């Protein structure tokens, strides 16, 4: 099919490349002309494993192009994916400004060209948004508004887009479902077909539930620290129950990223606007907000205060294998350490330049051991493999004091103790 993907960020670009790999003819559209220029020159503007190579191969085959307007190749599209950002607005609800701007563009371009098409909302949007878009496009009779939320994860985005766990389609007409059947022919995952509103809620519910699991484990980790128990073994013991499962039970410094923080507050707002208090979700957010403070407190206690102490922070992106620092939990930790007079050094394989713009007072080094040199303590904030698999002898030799805070419970606790480090994890020691 001919597909236009509007918005070529994390979701849009991975969607465009994966659909082209599945044999569709795709054009990626973005208002950011600099980004479009870069894409046309075959440069991937984001770091995502395997994406640039895959993008180049589908461009070489002629299945993927880029443009800055809907008025070109996109005019022929059977399916228009909307993949623009829906960031948090001042009151926490999703800001739909970018999305409605696209809807205006779609109206302007396709109203006079009445061919059956799907207008597919992939951006994460509050329940009722699809209905609103359908109203706005009401006089464009051949445009079918469909909800098709995205569940890909950064760091494995292309693989997730190519092999999704499920495809959720919310639509209100047989014609709309049949367009999506044609598009996703050849995908082997389960398909959930429902109304637009239910599809929209599935997306928020999924993210809120995953965030809930993490905050539950983080709160339990606080108790585990006091009890002297091991949260990792607790998680393993829980996860072997098939009703619970092992995923998303990892305690740490909290969840970050462009989705869980904004989607949990957006869902709270959906609840509020509909007169329903989502009290569990409120606590999920509160535990996540205070988790970095809780971690800094552990470091402070171990070092006997933070003023003048040298702390090396390893990993800055919100998770490994991405350059994305949005809502990364390393940031409030760095802020607090600096506020209390600590001298901070930091390392990340990809995100140092972006973080340096926010925290120029931190020293950055391309080499982990240079970052660790002279440190009174090292904190693992993001479990990049480069930051996890250290030469412990070398690390101990360069640090001023052998003190480790494992904010991701990813360092080998028994091994590092054998090397003479004082080790503290999150809910484990
Ligand atoms: N990032 C993720 O892992 C992820 C996963 C699932 C769902 N989502 C959701 O997908 C949506 C997009 O997220 P993202 O992380 O890809 O955002 P992003 O900020 O990386 O990309 C959005 C892109 O849209 C472009 N854009 C803005 N207005 C436009 C317009 N009028 N026309 C064309 N392009 C326009 C921007 O220039 C930008 O390139 C959000 O709703 C998000 O919640 C994100
Ligand atoms: O057991 C765990 C699992 C994750 N995290 C943290 O949670 C955050 C989010 O991780 P992850 O979900 O892997 O990354 P995202 O790319 O943000 O993906 C989430 O958000 C996307 C945007 O909506 C959804 O599409 C995905 O399904 C959903 O997993 C990161 O800070 C992780 O460090 C933990 O602390 N403990």
């Amino acid at each position: 099919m001919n597909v236009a993907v509007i918005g070529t960020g994390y979701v849009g670009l991975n969607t465009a490349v994966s659909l082209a790999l599945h044999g569709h003819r795709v054009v990626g559209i973005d208002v950011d002309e600099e980004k479009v220029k870069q894409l046309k020159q075959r440069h991937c503007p984001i770091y995502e494993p395997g994406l640039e190579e895959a993008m180049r191969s589908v461009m070489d085959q002629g299945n993927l192009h880029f443009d800055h307007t809907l008025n070109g190749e996109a005019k022929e599209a059977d399916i228009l994916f909307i993949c623009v950002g829906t960031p948090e607005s001042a009151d926490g609800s999703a800001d739909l400004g970018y999305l409605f701007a696209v809807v205006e563009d779609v109206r302007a371009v396709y109203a006079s060209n009445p061919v059956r098409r799907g207008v597919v909302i992939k951006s994460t949007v509050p329940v009722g948004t699809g209905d609103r878009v359908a109203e706005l496009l009401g006089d464009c009779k051949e445009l079918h508004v469909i909800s098709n939320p995205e569940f890909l994860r950064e760091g494995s985005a292309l693989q997730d887009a190519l092999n999704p766990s499920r495809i959720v389609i919310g639509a209100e007409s047989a014609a709309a479902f049949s367009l999506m059947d044609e598009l996703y022919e050849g995908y082997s995952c389960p398909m959930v077909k429902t109304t637009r509103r239910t599809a929209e809620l599935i997306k928020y519910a999924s993210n809120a539930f995953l965030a809930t699991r993490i905050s539950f484990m983080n709160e339990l980790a606080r108790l585990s620290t006091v009890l002297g128990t091991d949260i990792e073994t607790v998680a393993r013991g829980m996860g072997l129950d098939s009703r619970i499962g092992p995923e998303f039970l990892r305690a740490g410094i909290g969840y970050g990223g462009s989705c869980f923080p904004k989607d949990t507050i957006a869902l709270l707002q959906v609840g509020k606007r509909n007169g329903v208090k989502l009290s569990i979700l409120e606590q999920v957010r509160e535990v996540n907000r205070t988790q970095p403070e809780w971690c800094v407190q552990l470091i402070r206690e171990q070092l006997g205060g933070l003023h003048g102490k040298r702390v090396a922070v390893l990993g800055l992106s919100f998770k490994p294998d991405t350059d994305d620092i949005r809502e990364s939990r390393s940031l409030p930790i760095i802020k607090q350490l600096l506020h209390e007079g600590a001298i901070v050094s930091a390392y990340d394989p990809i995100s140092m330049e972006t973080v340096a713009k926010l925290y120029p007072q931190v020293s950055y080094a391309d080499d982990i051991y240079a970052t660790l040199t002279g440190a009174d303590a090292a904190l693992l904030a993001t479990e990049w493999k480069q930051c996890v698999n250290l030469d412990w002898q070398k690390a101990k030799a360069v640090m001023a004091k052998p003190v480790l805070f494992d904010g991701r419970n990813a360092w080998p606790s028994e091994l590092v103790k054998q090397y003479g480090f004082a080790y503290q994890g999150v809910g484990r020691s």
Side-chain angles (χ1 to χ4, degrees):
M1 295 175 95
N2 287 319
V3 179
V5 175
I6 310 169
T8 57
Y10 284 90
V11 167
L13 192 52
N14 283 289
T15 299
V17 171
S18 65
L19 289 170
L21 285 168
H22 272 282
H24 297 293
R25 286 171 305 281
V26 184
V27 58
I29 313 284
D30 208 290
V31 279
D32 181 339
E33 297 206 12
E34 188 48 42
K35 193 180 266 190
V36 173
K37 193 170 148 203
Q38 224 181 326
L39 287 164
K40 281 182 171 172
Q41 289 168 349
R42 299 152 49 89
H43 293 301
C44 186
I46 51 173
Y47 175 79
E48 192 56 52
L51 184 60
E52 189 165 75
E53 298 87 315
M55 182 185 100
R56 288 180 177 173
S57 90
V58 279
M59 287 177 85
D60 289 344
Q61 289 160 11
N63 278 348
L64 178 62
H65 299 106
F66 293 98
D67 206 342
H68 64 275
T69 167
L70 286 174
N71 258 313
E73 194 180 325
K75 275 182 137 177
E76 303 308 316
D78 308 298
I79 303 278
L80 305 160
F81 272 106
I82 305 183
C83 301
V84 295
T86 48
E88 188 178 323
S89 61
D91 70 355
S93 59
D95 176 349
L96 299 176
Y98 299 107
L99 181 114
F100 286 126
V102 170
V103 172
E104 272 313 301
D105 292 347
V106 167
R107 239 187 107 75
V109 174
Y110 299 96
S112 58
N113 189 357
V115 174
R116 188 179 67 138
R117 299 174 209 274
V119 176
V120 185
I121 303 174
K122 216 169 223 323
S123 301
T124 303
V125 293
V127 176
T129 305
D131 290 357
R132 206 46 231 281
V133 172
E135 269 166 41
L136 290 169
L137 296 175
D139 49 350
C140 308
K141 293 288 176 231
E142 290 297 320
L143 293 182
H144 297 270
V145 178
I146 297 159
S147 165
N148 175 210
E150 179 55 59
F151 301 97
L152 63 76
R153 295 158 298 175
E154 291 182 24
S156 55
L158 183 60
Q159 282 314 313
D160 289 350
L162 283 168
N163 306 296
S165 54
R166 72 285 204 195
I167 294 173
V168 174
I169 297 178
E172 308 298 328
S173 68
F177 283 117
S178 89
L179 273 169
M180 297 309 273
D181 283 342
E182 195 182 336
L183 180 80
Y184 286 126
E185 206 190 338
Y187 284 68
S188 55
C189 63
M191 214 178 247
V192 179
K193 291 183 179 173
T194 182
T195 62
R196 280 193 295 251
R197 292 168 66 84
T198 300
E200 289 164 343
L201 187 55
I202 288 172
K203 174 62 195 177
Y204 278 119
S206 301
N207 275 1
F209 189 68
L210 292 170
T212 301
R213 285 173 70 107
I214 298 169
S215 278
F216 180 82
M217 293 312 289
N218 283 341
E219 198 165 45
L220 214 58
R222 299 182 192 183
L223 178 63
S224 182
T225 301
V226 177
L227 297 177
T229 48
D230 181 28
I231 196 71
E232 289 301 308
T233 312
V234 172
R236 182 156 177 271
M238 290 166 65
L240 287 168
D241 184 329
S242 61
R243 294 169 302 176
I244 297 174
E247 303 282 337
F248 278 72
L249 295 179
R250 274 181 292 118
I253 59 175
Y255 60 77
S258 65
C259 294
F260 289 175
K262 89 168 167 63
D263 292 348
T264 47
I265 194 163
L267 183 55
L268 281 178
Q269 286 300 328
V270 171
K272 203 169 159 190
R273 285 178 185 184
N274 288 280
V276 178
K277 187 174 163 65
L278 300 175
S279 54
I280 295 175
L281 201 51
E282 280 174 1
Q283 287 310 310
V284 166
R285 288 180 52 79
E286 182 57 13
V287 170
N288 201 56
R289 188 186 68 78
T290 51
Q291 192 69 354
E293 285 167 30
W294 179 80
C295 290
V296 170
Q297 179 199 321
L298 288 182
I299 305 176
R300 188 190 301 115
E301 280 168 11
Q302 172 79 22
L303 296 183
L306 286 167
H307 193 81
K309 301 289 166 45
R310 293 180 180 271
V311 181
V313 177
L314 303 187
L316 297 169
S317 54
F318 83 95
K319 64 186 274 194
D321 297 319
T322 177
D323 56 352
D324 199 342
I325 62 156
R326 289 180 280 183
E327 298 287 334
S328 174
R329 298 288 80 193
S330 64
L331 303 178
I333 289 184
I334 289 176
K335 187 174 177 190
Q336 185 66 24
L337 290 172
L338 291 171
H339 178 71
E340 296 192 35
I343 301 154
V344 180
S345 57
Y347 168 84
D348 186 280
I350 309 230
S351 311
M352 281 191 296
E353 270 181 39
T354 330
V355 175
K357 287 182 195 142
L358 300 173
Y359 292 108
Q361 59 278 60
V362 169
S363 61
Y364 302 87
D366 285 333
D367 176 70
I368 293 191
Y369 300 95
T371 308
L372 290 172
T373 299
D376 296 305
L379 164 71
L380 181 68
T382 313
E383 65 278 31
W384 285 93
K385 66 177 183 317
Q386 297 89 322
C387 302
V388 171
N389 302 321
L390 298 184
D391 175 337
W392 295 108
Q393 202 157 10
K394 195 169 166 187
K396 186 160 179 249
V398 297
M399 288 177 70
K401 287 191 189 140
V403 177
L404 300 178
F405 288 93
D406 186 354
R408 294 295 176 183
N409 289 351
W411 278 333
S413 57
E414 292 309 318
L415 180 71
V416 298
K417 282 180 212 162
Q418 284 168 23
Y419 276 94
F421 284 96
Y423 173 90
Q424 174 74 62
V426 176
R428 77 200 285 232
S429 48

